[in-house]
Amino acid sequence: GDAVGPPELEEAQTGWGGHDNGNIPESELKTLSFSSDNKMHKKAAVAMEEMNKAYKAETGTDLTINEAYRDCDTQIAYATPGNPRYLGGAAAPAPPCISNHGWGLAADINTPGNFSGSVYSWLSQNAHKYGFVNPPWARQGGSKPESWHWEYARRVN
């Protein structure tokens, strides 16, 4: 279907459905079958499911999603010093309530070995087939290198 295919954008688009970042209704999100703690925009979830099927067919294991959709409260907690969930330093997230995680269009995929590991290698060779990109800022040498951060970069509006 139209959920799977090459990226149409360099990074995920923002602002869809008249919702606010991090306040997406449950009815607009889909739980990933292979990572039941994680939800994404329905089109992104379909594409992620297809990408996981391909990965599993090749490796025998599912992709490990550390986190996909983040509500605004979680984004605030991650950015608040003193909060037990604070992620300061190198792991500091985007400013609260603007992250592509808050649109349900980003997933942090466990990439052991970071940019030199086998998961990152597979993703860099295949994720684009499913509409996912490691955006320029997150690539090795980018302004905030994150091998684990992948965004659904097909149109959702």
Side-chain angles (χ1 to χ4, degrees):
D2 68 345
V4 176
E8 297 169 321
L9 311 159
E10 191 166 88
E11 296 188 40
Q13 60 188 322
T14 58
W16 56 267
H19 306 297
D20 293 328
N21 184 293
N23 291 302
I24 309 297
E26 291 287 322
S27 61
E28 297 291 326
L29 299 169
K30 179 175 172 35
T31 301
L32 298 173
S33 67
F34 64 96
S35 184
S36 61
D37 291 339
N38 289 290
K39 299 175 182 178
M40 296 187 82
H41 178 283
K42 290 176 181 178
K43 280 179 79 172
V46 167
M48 181 63 77
E49 293 279 355
E50 291 300 314
M51 184 165 73
N52 183 65
K53 284 180 195 172
Y55 180 80
K56 189 170 185 172
E58 233 177 273
T59 67
T61 61
D62 289 312
L63 291 166
T64 301
I65 307 297
N66 293 330
E67 192 170 38
Y69 174 70
R70 283 184 199 143
D71 63 30
C72 196
D73 289 340
T74 299
Q75 294 179 54
I76 291 168
Y78 285 173
T80 305
N83 186 298
R85 299 173 74 191
Y86 176 61
L87 295 176
C97 309
I98 66 166
S99 168
N100 282 321
H101 287 279
W103 295 116
L105 298 173
D108 289 344
I109 302 171
N110 190 26
T111 54
N114 292 312
F115 295 101
S116 60
S118 62
V119 176
Y120 183 82
S121 178
W122 189 93
L123 289 167
S124 65
Q125 293 171 25
N126 294 285
H128 68 278
K129 299 172 190 172
Y130 305 92
F132 286 91
V133 298
N134 183 226
W137 62 265
R139 294 181 195 142
Q140 193 165 24
S143 62
K144 190 174 184 299
E146 295 182 356
S147 62
W148 58 87
H149 184 88
W150 293 81
E151 297 181 353
Y152 184 67
R154 290 183 61 79
R155 298 190 187 284
V156 294
N157 289 334

Coordinates of all heavy atoms in Angstrom, one line a residue, residues 57-141:
A57 N 13.2 -12.0 8.5 CA 13.4 -13.0 7.5 C 14.9 -13.2 7.2 O 15.4 -14.3 6.9 CB 12.7 -12.6 6.2
E58 N 15.7 -12.1 7.3 CA 17.1 -12.2 7.0 C 17.9 -12.6 8.3 O 18.9 -13.3 8.1 CB 17.6 -10.8 6.6 CG 18.4 -10.8 5.3 CD 18.8 -9.5 4.8 OE1 17.9 -8.8 4.2 OE2 19.9 -9.0 5.2
T59 N 17.5 -12.2 9.5 CA 18.3 -12.4 10.6 C 17.8 -13.4 11.6 O 18.5 -13.9 12.5 CB 18.5 -11.1 11.4 OG1 17.3 -10.7 11.9 CG2 19.1 -10.0 10.5
G60 N 16.5 -13.7 11.5 CA 15.8 -14.6 12.5 C 15.4 -13.9 13.8 O 14.8 -14.6 14.6
T61 N 15.6 -12.6 13.9 CA 15.1 -11.9 15.1 C 14.4 -10.6 14.7 O 14.5 -10.1 13.6 CB 16.3 -11.5 16.0 OG1 17.2 -10.6 15.3 CG2 17.1 -12.7 16.5
D62 N 13.5 -10.2 15.6 CA 12.8 -8.9 15.4 C 13.8 -7.7 15.7 O 14.7 -7.9 16.5 CB 11.7 -8.8 16.4 CG 10.5 -9.7 16.1 OD1 10.1 -9.8 14.9 OD2 10.0 -10.4 17.0
L63 N 13.5 -6.6 15.1 CA 14.1 -5.4 15.5 C 13.7 -5.1 17.0 O 12.6 -5.4 17.4 CB 13.7 -4.2 14.6 CG 14.2 -4.2 13.2 CD1 13.4 -3.2 12.3 CD2 15.7 -3.9 13.1
T64 N 14.6 -4.5 17.7 CA 14.2 -4.1 19.1 C 13.9 -2.6 19.1 O 14.9 -1.8 18.8 CB 15.3 -4.4 20.1 OG1 15.6 -5.8 20.0 CG2 15.0 -4.0 21.5
I65 N 12.7 -2.2 19.4 CA 12.3 -0.8 19.5 C 12.5 -0.4 20.9 O 11.8 -0.9 21.8 CB 10.9 -0.6 19.0 CG1 10.7 -1.2 17.6 CG2 10.6 0.9 19.0 CD1 11.5 -0.6 16.5
N66 N 13.4 0.6 21.2 CA 13.5 1.1 22.5 C 12.4 2.0 22.9 O 11.9 2.0 24.0 CB 14.8 1.8 22.7 CG 16.0 0.8 22.6 OD1 15.9 -0.4 23.0 ND2 17.1 1.3 22.1
E67 N 12.0 2.9 21.9 CA 10.9 3.8 22.1 C 10.4 4.4 20.8 O 11.2 4.7 20.0 CB 11.3 4.9 23.1 CG 10.1 5.7 23.6 CD 10.5 6.6 24.7 OE1 11.6 7.2 24.7 OE2 9.7 6.8 25.6
A68 N 9.1 4.5 20.6 CA 8.5 5.1 19.4 C 7.8 6.3 19.9 O 8.4 7.3 20.2 CB 7.7 4.1 18.6
Y69 N 6.4 6.3 19.8 CA 5.6 7.5 20.2 C 6.0 7.9 21.7 O 6.1 7.0 22.6 CB 4.2 7.2 20.1 CG 3.3 8.3 20.6 CD1 3.2 9.5 20.0 CD2 2.6 8.1 21.8 CE1 2.4 10.5 20.5 CE2 1.8 9.2 22.3 CZ 1.7 10.4 21.6 OH 1.0 11.4 22.1
R70 N 6.1 9.2 21.9 CA 6.3 9.7 23.2 C 5.3 10.8 23.4 O 5.2 11.8 22.7 CB 7.7 10.4 23.4 CG 8.8 9.5 23.5 CD 10.1 10.4 23.7 NE 11.3 9.5 23.5 CZ 12.4 9.9 22.9 NH1 12.5 11.1 22.5 NH2 13.3 9.0 22.6
D71 N 4.5 10.7 24.5 CA 3.6 11.8 24.8 C 4.3 13.0 25.3 O 5.5 12.9 25.7 CB 2.5 11.3 25.7 CG 3.0 10.9 27.1 OD1 4.0 11.4 27.6 OD2 2.3 10.0 27.7
C72 N 3.7 14.1 25.4 CA 4.3 15.3 25.8 C 4.8 15.2 27.2 O 5.9 15.7 27.5 CB 3.3 16.5 25.7 SG 4.1 18.1 25.7
D73 N 4.1 14.6 28.1 CA 4.6 14.5 29.5 C 5.9 13.7 29.6 O 6.8 14.1 30.4 CB 3.5 13.8 30.4 CG 2.3 14.7 30.6 OD1 2.4 15.9 30.5 OD2 1.3 14.1 31.0
T74 N 6.0 12.7 28.8 CA 7.3 11.9 28.8 C 8.4 12.8 28.2 O 9.5 12.8 28.8 CB 7.1 10.6 27.9 OG1 6.1 9.8 28.6 CG2 8.4 9.9 27.8
Q75 N 8.1 13.5 27.2 CA 9.2 14.4 26.6 C 9.6 15.4 27.6 O 10.8 15.7 27.7 CB 8.6 15.1 25.3 CG 8.3 14.2 24.2 CD 7.8 14.9 23.0 OE1 8.4 15.9 22.5 NE2 6.6 14.5 22.5
I76 N 8.7 16.0 28.4 CA 9.0 17.0 29.4 C 9.9 16.3 30.5 O 10.9 16.9 30.9 CB 7.8 17.6 30.0 CG1 7.1 18.5 29.0 CG2 8.1 18.4 31.3 CD1 5.7 19.0 29.3
A77 N 9.5 15.1 30.9 CA 10.3 14.4 32.0 C 11.7 14.1 31.5 O 12.6 14.3 32.3 CB 9.6 13.1 32.3
Y78 N 11.9 13.7 30.3 CA 13.2 13.5 29.7 C 14.1 14.7 29.7 O 15.3 14.6 29.8 CB 13.1 12.9 28.3 CG 12.7 11.5 28.2 CD1 12.4 10.9 27.0 CD2 12.5 10.7 29.3 CE1 12.0 9.6 26.8 CE2 12.1 9.4 29.2 CZ 11.8 8.8 27.9 OH 11.4 7.5 27.8
A79 N 13.5 15.9 29.6 CA 14.2 17.1 29.5 C 14.3 17.9 30.8 O 14.9 19.0 30.8 CB 13.5 18.0 28.4
T80 N 13.8 17.4 31.9 CA 13.8 18.1 33.2 C 14.8 17.6 34.1 O 14.7 16.5 34.7 CB 12.4 18.0 33.8 OG1 11.4 18.5 32.9 CG2 12.3 18.8 35.1
P81 N 15.9 18.4 34.4 CA 16.9 18.0 35.4 C 16.2 17.7 36.7 O 15.3 18.4 37.1 CB 17.8 19.2 35.5 CG 17.7 19.9 34.2 CD 16.2 19.7 33.8
G82 N 16.7 16.7 37.4 CA 16.1 16.3 38.7 C 15.0 15.3 38.6 O 14.7 14.6 39.5
N83 N 14.4 15.2 37.4 CA 13.4 14.2 37.2 C 14.0 12.8 37.0 O 15.1 12.7 36.4 CB 12.6 14.5 35.9 CG 11.4 13.5 35.7 OD1 11.5 12.3 35.5 ND2 10.2 14.1 35.7
P84 N 13.5 11.8 37.7 CA 14.2 10.4 37.6 C 14.3 9.9 36.1 O 15.1 9.1 35.8 CB 13.2 9.5 38.4 CG 12.3 10.4 39.1 CD 12.3 11.7 38.5
R85 N 13.5 10.5 35.2 CA 13.5 10.0 33.8 C 14.4 11.0 33.0 O 14.4 10.8 31.7 CB 12.1 9.9 33.3 CG 11.3 8.9 34.0 CD 9.9 8.9 33.6 NE 9.7 8.3 32.3 CZ 8.6 8.3 31.6 NH1 7.6 9.0 32.0 NH2 8.6 7.8 30.4
Y86 N 15.0 12.0 33.6 CA 15.9 12.9 32.9 C 16.9 12.2 32.0 O 17.6 11.4 32.5 CB 16.5 13.9 33.9 CG 17.5 14.9 33.3 CD1 17.0 15.8 32.3 CD2 18.8 14.9 33.6 CE1 17.9 16.8 31.8 CE2 19.7 15.9 33.1 CZ 19.2 16.8 32.2 OH 20.1 17.7 31.7
L87 N 17.1 12.7 30.8 CA 18.1 12.2 29.8 C 19.0 13.3 29.4 O 18.9 13.8 28.3 CB 17.4 11.6 28.6 CG 16.5 10.4 28.8 CD1 15.9 10.0 27.5 CD2 17.3 9.2 29.3
G88 N 19.8 13.7 30.3 CA 20.7 14.8 30.0 C 22.0 14.4 29.2 O 22.1 13.2 28.8
G89 N 22.9 15.3 29.0 CA 24.1 15.0 28.3 C 23.9 14.5 26.9 O 23.1 15.0 26.1
A90 N 24.7 13.5 26.5 CA 24.6 13.0 25.1 C 23.3 12.4 24.7 O 22.9 12.4 23.6 CB 25.7 11.9 24.9
A91 N 22.5 12.0 25.7 CA 21.2 11.4 25.4 C 20.1 12.4 25.4 O 18.9 12.0 25.3 CB 20.9 10.2 26.4
A92 N 20.4 13.7 25.7 CA 19.4 14.7 25.8 C 18.5 14.7 24.5 O 19.0 14.7 23.4 CB 20.0 16.0 26.0
P93 N 17.2 14.6 24.7 CA 16.2 14.6 23.6 C 16.0 16.0 23.0 O 16.5 17.0 23.5 CB 15.0 14.0 24.2 CG 15.0 14.5 25.6 CD 16.5 14.5 26.0
A94 N 15.2 16.0 22.0 CA 14.8 17.3 21.4 C 14.0 18.1 22.5 O 13.5 17.5 23.5 CB 13.9 17.1 20.2
P95 N 13.9 19.4 22.4 CA 13.1 20.1 23.4 C 11.7 19.5 23.5 O 11.2 19.0 22.5 CB 13.1 21.6 22.8 CG 14.4 21.7 22.0 CD 14.5 20.3 21.4
P96 N 11.1 19.6 24.6 CA 9.8 18.9 24.8 C 8.7 19.4 23.9 O 8.7 20.5 23.5 CB 9.4 19.3 26.3 CG 10.7 19.6 26.9 CD 11.6 20.2 25.9
C97 N 7.9 18.4 23.5 CA 6.7 18.6 22.7 C 6.9 19.1 21.3 O 6.1 19.8 20.7 CB 5.7 19.5 23.5 SG 5.5 18.8 25.2
I98 N 8.1 18.8 20.8 CA 8.4 19.1 19.3 C 9.1 17.9 18.6 O 9.2 17.9 17.4 CB 9.3 20.4 19.1 CG1 10.7 20.2 19.7 CG2 8.6 21.6 19.7 CD1 11.6 21.3 19.2
S99 N 9.4 16.9 19.4 CA 10.1 15.7 18.9 C 9.2 15.0 17.8 O 8.0 14.9 18.0 CB 10.4 14.8 20.0 OG 10.8 13.5 19.5
N100 N 9.9 14.4 16.8 CA 9.1 13.6 15.9 C 8.6 12.3 16.6 O 7.6 11.7 16.0 CB 10.0 13.2 14.7 CG 10.1 14.4 13.7 OD1 9.1 15.1 13.5 ND2 11.2 14.6 13.2
H101 N 9.1 12.0 17.7 CA 8.5 10.9 18.5 C 7.1 11.3 18.9 O 6.2 10.5 19.0 CB 9.3 10.6 19.8 CG 10.6 9.9 19.5 ND1 10.6 8.5 19.3 CD2 11.8 10.3 19.4 CE1 11.9 8.2 19.1 NE2 12.6 9.2 19.2
G102 N 6.9 12.6 19.2 CA 5.6 13.1 19.6 C 4.5 13.1 18.5 O 3.3 13.3 18.7
W103 N 5.0 13.0 17.3 CA 4.1 12.8 16.1 C 3.8 11.4 15.8 O 3.1 11.0 14.8 CB 4.6 13.6 14.9 CG 4.7 15.0 15.1 CD1 5.8 15.8 15.1 CD2 3.6 16.0 15.3 NE1 5.5 17.1 15.3 CE2 4.2 17.2 15.4 CE3 2.2 15.8 15.4 CZ2 3.4 18.4 15.7 CZ3 1.5 16.9 15.6 CH2 2.0 18.2 15.7
G104 N 4.5 10.5 16.5 CA 4.4 9.0 16.2 C 5.1 8.6 14.9 O 4.8 7.6 14.3
L105 N 6.1 9.4 14.5 CA 6.8 9.2 13.3 C 8.3 8.9 13.5 O 9.0 8.8 12.5 CB 6.7 10.5 12.4 CG 5.2 10.8 12.0 CD1 5.2 12.2 11.3 CD2 4.6 9.7 11.1
A106 N 8.7 8.7 14.7 CA 10.1 8.3 14.9 C 10.2 7.1 15.9 O 9.3 6.9 16.7 CB 10.8 9.5 15.6
A107 N 11.2 6.3 15.7 CA 11.4 5.2 16.5 C 12.9 5.1 16.8 O 13.8 5.3 16.0 CB 11.0 3.9 15.8
D108 N 13.2 4.8 18.1 CA 14.6 4.5 18.5 C 14.8 3.0 18.5 O 14.1 2.3 19.2 CB 14.9 5.0 19.9 CG 14.9 6.6 19.9 OD1 15.0 7.2 18.9 OD2 14.8 7.1 21.0
I109 N 15.6 2.6 17.5 CA 15.8 1.1 17.3 C 17.2 0.8 17.9 O 18.2 1.4 17.7 CB 15.8 0.8 15.8 CG1 14.5 1.2 15.2 CG2 16.1 -0.7 15.5 CD1 14.4 1.2 13.6
N110 N 17.2 -0.3 18.7 CA 18.4 -0.7 19.4 C 19.4 -1.0 18.3 O 19.2 -1.9 17.4 CB 18.1 -1.9 20.3 CG 19.3 -2.2 21.1 OD1 20.2 -1.4 21.4 ND2 19.4 -3.5 21.5
T111 N 20.6 -0.3 18.3 CA 21.6 -0.6 17.3 C 23.0 -0.8 18.1 O 23.8 0.0 18.1 CB 21.8 0.7 16.4 OG1 22.0 1.8 17.2 CG2 20.6 0.8 15.5
P112 N 23.1 -2.1 18.6 CA 24.4 -2.4 19.2 C 25.6 -2.1 18.3 O 25.5 -2.4 17.1 CB 24.3 -3.9 19.5 CG 22.8 -4.2 19.5 CD 22.2 -3.2 18.5
G113 N 26.6 -1.5 18.9 CA 27.8 -1.2 18.1 C 27.6 0.2 17.3 O 28.4 0.6 16.5
N114 N 26.5 0.8 17.6 CA 26.1 2.1 17.0 C 26.3 2.0 15.5 O 25.7 1.2 14.8 CB 27.0 3.2 17.6 CG 26.5 3.5 19.0 OD1 25.3 3.6 19.3 ND2 27.5 3.5 20.0
F115 N 27.1 3.0 14.9 CA 27.2 3.1 13.4 C 28.0 1.9 12.8 O 27.9 1.7 11.6 CB 27.8 4.4 13.0 CG 26.9 5.6 13.4 CD1 27.2 6.3 14.6 CD2 25.8 5.9 12.7 CE1 26.4 7.4 14.9 CE2 25.0 7.0 13.0 CZ 25.3 7.7 14.1
S116 N 28.7 1.2 13.6 CA 29.5 0.1 13.0 C 28.8 -1.3 13.2 O 29.4 -2.3 12.8 CB 30.9 0.1 13.6 OG 30.9 -0.1 15.0
G117 N 27.7 -1.3 13.9 CA 27.0 -2.6 14.2 C 26.2 -3.1 13.0 O 25.9 -2.4 12.0
S118 N 25.8 -4.4 13.1 CA 25.1 -5.1 12.1 C 23.7 -4.6 11.9 O 23.2 -4.5 10.8 CB 25.1 -6.6 12.3 OG 24.4 -6.9 13.5
V119 N 23.0 -4.1 13.0 CA 21.7 -3.6 12.9 C 21.7 -2.3 12.1 O 20.9 -2.1 11.2 CB 21.0 -3.4 14.2 CG1 19.6 -2.8 14.1 CG2 20.9 -4.8 15.0
Y120 N 22.6 -1.4 12.5 CA 22.7 -0.1 11.7 C 23.0 -0.4 10.3 O 22.5 0.3 9.4 CB 23.7 0.8 12.4 CG 23.7 2.2 11.6 CD1 22.8 3.1 12.0 CD2 24.6 2.4 10.6 CE1 22.8 4.3 11.3 CE2 24.6 3.6 9.9 CZ 23.7 4.6 10.3 OH 23.7 5.8 9.6
S121 N 23.9 -1.3 10.0 CA 24.3 -1.6 8.6 C 23.0 -2.1 7.9 O 22.8 -1.6 6.7 CB 25.4 -2.7 8.6 OG 25.7 -3.0 7.3
W122 N 22.2 -3.0 8.5 CA 21.0 -3.4 7.8 C 20.1 -2.3 7.5 O 19.5 -2.1 6.4 CB 20.4 -4.6 8.6 CG 19.3 -5.2 7.8 CD1 19.4 -6.3 7.0 CD2 17.9 -4.8 7.7 NE1 18.2 -6.6 6.5 CE2 17.3 -5.7 6.8 CE3 17.2 -3.7 8.2 CZ2 15.9 -5.6 6.5 CZ3 15.8 -3.6 7.9 CH2 15.2 -4.5 7.0
L123 N 19.9 -1.5 8.6 CA 18.9 -0.4 8.4 C 19.4 0.6 7.4 O 18.6 1.1 6.5 CB 18.8 0.4 9.8 CG 18.0 -0.4 10.8 CD1 18.2 0.3 12.2 CD2 16.5 -0.5 10.5
S124 N 20.7 0.9 7.3 CA 21.2 1.9 6.4 C 21.1 1.4 4.9 O 20.9 2.2 4.0 CB 22.6 2.3 6.7 OG 23.5 1.2 6.6
Q125 N 21.1 0.1 4.8 CA 20.9 -0.5 3.4 C 19.5 -0.8 3.1 O 19.1 -0.9 1.9 CB 21.7 -1.9 3.4 CG 23.2 -1.7 3.5 CD 23.8 -3.1 3.6 OE1 23.3 -4.1 3.2 NE2 25.0 -3.1 4.2
N126 N 18.6 -0.8 4.0 CA 17.2 -1.3 3.8 C 16.1 -0.4 4.2 O 15.0 -0.4 3.7 CB 17.0 -2.7 4.4 CG 17.8 -3.7 3.7 OD1 17.6 -4.1 2.6 ND2 18.9 -4.1 4.4
A127 N 16.3 0.4 5.3 CA 15.2 1.2 5.8 C 14.5 2.1 4.8 O 13.3 2.3 4.9 CB 15.7 2.0 7.0
H128 N 15.2 2.7 3.9 CA 14.7 3.6 2.9 C 13.6 2.9 2.1 O 12.7 3.5 1.6 CB 15.8 4.1 2.0 CG 16.4 3.1 1.1 ND1 17.4 2.3 1.6 CD2 16.2 2.8 -0.2 CE1 17.8 1.5 0.6 NE2 17.0 1.8 -0.5
K129 N 13.7 1.6 1.9 CA 12.6 0.8 1.1 C 11.3 0.9 1.8 O 10.3 0.7 1.2 CB 13.1 -0.6 1.0 CG 14.4 -0.8 0.3 CD 14.8 -2.3 0.3 CE 16.2 -2.5 -0.2 NZ 16.7 -3.9 0.1
Y130 N 11.3 1.2 3.1 CA 10.1 1.3 3.9 C 9.7 2.7 4.3 O 8.8 2.9 5.1 CB 10.2 0.3 5.1 CG 10.6 -1.1 4.7 CD1 11.9 -1.5 4.6 CD2 9.6 -2.0 4.3 CE1 12.3 -2.7 4.1 CE2 9.9 -3.2 3.8 CZ 11.3 -3.6 3.7 OH 11.6 -4.8 3.2
G131 N 10.4 3.6 3.8 CA 10.1 5.0 4.1 C 10.8 5.6 5.3 O 10.5 6.7 5.7
F132 N 11.8 4.9 5.9 CA 12.5 5.3 7.1 C 13.9 5.9 6.7 O 14.6 5.4 5.9 CB 12.6 4.2 8.1 CG 11.3 3.9 8.8 CD1 10.5 3.0 8.3 CD2 11.0 4.6 9.9 CE1 9.2 2.7 8.9 CE2 9.7 4.3 10.6 CZ 8.9 3.4 10.0
V133 N 14.2 7.0 7.4 CA 15.6 7.6 7.3 C 16.2 7.8 8.7 O 15.5 8.0 9.7 CB 15.5 8.9 6.5 CG1 15.0 8.7 5.1 CG2 14.7 10.0 7.3
N134 N 17.5 7.7 8.7 CA 18.3 8.2 9.8 C 18.6 9.7 9.4 O 19.4 9.9 8.5 CB 19.5 7.4 10.0 CG 20.4 7.7 11.1 OD1 21.6 7.8 11.0 ND2 19.9 7.9 12.3
P135 N 17.9 10.7 9.9 CA 18.0 12.0 9.4 C 19.4 12.6 9.4 O 20.2 12.1 10.2 CB 17.0 12.8 10.3 CG 16.8 12.0 11.5 CD 17.0 10.6 11.1
P136 N 19.7 13.5 8.6 CA 21.1 14.1 8.5 C 21.7 14.4 9.8 O 22.9 14.1 10.1 CB 20.9 15.3 7.6 CG 19.8 15.0 6.7 CD 18.8 14.2 7.6
W137 N 21.0 15.1 10.7 CA 21.5 15.5 12.0 C 21.9 14.3 12.9 O 22.8 14.3 13.7 CB 20.6 16.4 12.8 CG 19.2 15.7 13.1 CD1 18.1 15.8 12.4 CD2 18.9 14.9 14.2 NE1 17.1 15.1 13.0 CE2 17.6 14.5 14.1 CE3 19.7 14.4 15.3 CZ2 17.0 13.7 15.0 CZ3 19.0 13.6 16.2 CH2 17.7 13.2 16.1
A138 N 21.2 13.1 12.6 CA 21.5 11.9 13.4 C 22.5 10.9 12.9 O 22.9 10.0 13.5 CB 20.2 11.1 13.6
R139 N 22.9 11.2 11.6 CA 23.9 10.4 11.0 C 25.3 10.6 11.6 O 25.6 11.6 12.2 CB 24.0 10.6 9.5 CG 22.7 10.2 8.8 CD 22.7 10.4 7.3 NE 21.4 10.3 6.8 CZ 20.9 11.1 5.8 NH1 21.6 12.0 5.2 NH2 19.6 10.9 5.5
Q140 N 26.2 9.6 11.4 CA 27.6 9.7 11.8 C 28.1 11.0 11.2 O 28.0 11.3 10.0 CB 28.4 8.5 11.4 CG 29.7 8.4 12.1 CD 30.3 7.1 11.9 OE1 30.0 6.3 11.0 NE2 31.2 6.7 12.8
G141 N 28.7 11.9 12.1 CA 29.2 13.2 11.6 C 28.2 14.3 11.6 O 28.5 15.4 11.4

